[in-house]
Amino acid sequence: MLSPQFFHKILGVALLLLPYYAQSKLARSLPVPYFRPEKGIAEGYIPGLPSLAGNEMEDIILQLEDRISKLEGVLHLQGKIKVSGGKVFATNEKTGDFQATVKKCEEAGGCIAAPRNADENDAILYFLKKFNNYAYLGIKESPVPGKFLFLNGAELSYTNWYSGEPAGKGQEQCVEMYTDGTWNDRSCGYNRLIVCQF
């Protein structure tokens, strides 16, 4: 059975990609039920569905797991998602500046992609190569010029800076990933591919 956390990750990816899904022929052959997202999930309770007990709830959960599994397969097949460890990375193929990217990812229930190891970096890189565009990462310069942190303030445990970077020294507060997977500090106002993690 899917854990509530993984269920919410897949649901977030589905919300990010829903406009593309709705326009495709797949929407007619593989309907996705409407869920009203709510904070938290209790054991045996799925937000947006009526309270049921016993076998009815188990049947609904099995049906949802099957639909999520099919949706995940379709999204993998179309190159819309990549999975690394317990994270799901996705793009809606649109571009935006740093703030627009953060907002779009939060609206979908995730956050801007922020790799914590080489495998996660490669998952993000897949989208950059596919769409031949750079992407902002969920990393910003701290008040100390040249020191970068994750958006939640945590120290970086993994980096992949391009040779000589970061070089902005307080003038370039955001971090972008190049199409070779290396990072560069950059001003936050450029349009880059939106890549989220869930």
Side-chain angles (χ1 to χ4, degrees), residues 6-194:
F6 190 71
F7 175 81
H8 279 196
K9 288 178 185 180
I10 295 297
L11 186 57
V13 170
L15 290 173
L16 178 73
L17 301 173
L18 193 59
Y20 296 97
Y21 178 80
Q23 294 171 0
S24 74
K25 292 179 183 176
L26 293 169
R28 291 185 288 280
S29 63
L30 183 62
V32 175
Y34 173 77
F35 294 102
R36 189 186 71 210
E38 297 178 16
K39 292 189 178 193
I41 184 167
E43 184 68 30
Y45 173 74
I46 299 175
L49 293 179
S51 293
L52 299 173
N55 292 341
E56 284 183 276
M57 181 56 74
E58 289 177 22
D59 289 344
I60 289 174
I61 290 172
L62 288 173
Q63 289 173 9
L64 289 173
E65 286 177 346
D66 182 57
R67 286 183 173 198
I68 289 170
S69 176
K70 287 177 182 174
L71 178 60
E72 184 179 3
V74 168
L75 295 173
H76 270 292
L77 186 63
Q78 292 179 344
K80 303 279 188 188
I81 66 170
K82 281 296 205 186
V83 177
S84 176
K87 294 181 184 173
V88 177
F89 296 90
T91 182
N92 61 2
E93 302 177 31
K94 303 235 184 249
T95 61
D97 64 16
F98 182 81
Q99 288 303 325
T101 300
V102 169
K103 182 178 179 186
K104 182 57 77 175
C105 292
E106 286 176 353
E107 286 173 353
C111 61
I112 184 172
R116 293 184 180 265
N117 57 53
D119 287 340
E120 291 180 6
N121 203 72
D122 288 345
I124 299 165
L125 178 59
Y126 165 82
F127 297 115
L128 277 57
K129 287 182 175 179
K130 181 174 181 175
F131 298 106
N132 194 31
N133 202 339
Y134 300 165
Y136 283 116
L137 300 176
I139 300 169
K140 283 194 84 174
E141 192 169 28
S142 74
V144 177
K147 181 176 181 173
F148 288 81
L149 303 170
F150 289 110
L151 295 185
N152 66 4
E155 298 277 333
L156 300 181
S157 56
Y158 165 82
T159 63
N160 196 30
W161 294 107
Y162 186 79
S163 179
E165 298 296 341
K169 298 191 190 314
Q171 301 301 312
E172 299 173 322
Q173 290 81 31
C174 288
V175 176
E176 65 183 358
M177 183 189 288
Y178 289 147
T179 53
D180 66 357
T182 59
W183 306 355
N184 173 50
D185 55 336
R186 171 66 73 184
S187 299
C188 302
Y190 291 88
N191 283 332
R192 299 290 184 245
L193 184 67
I194 295 172

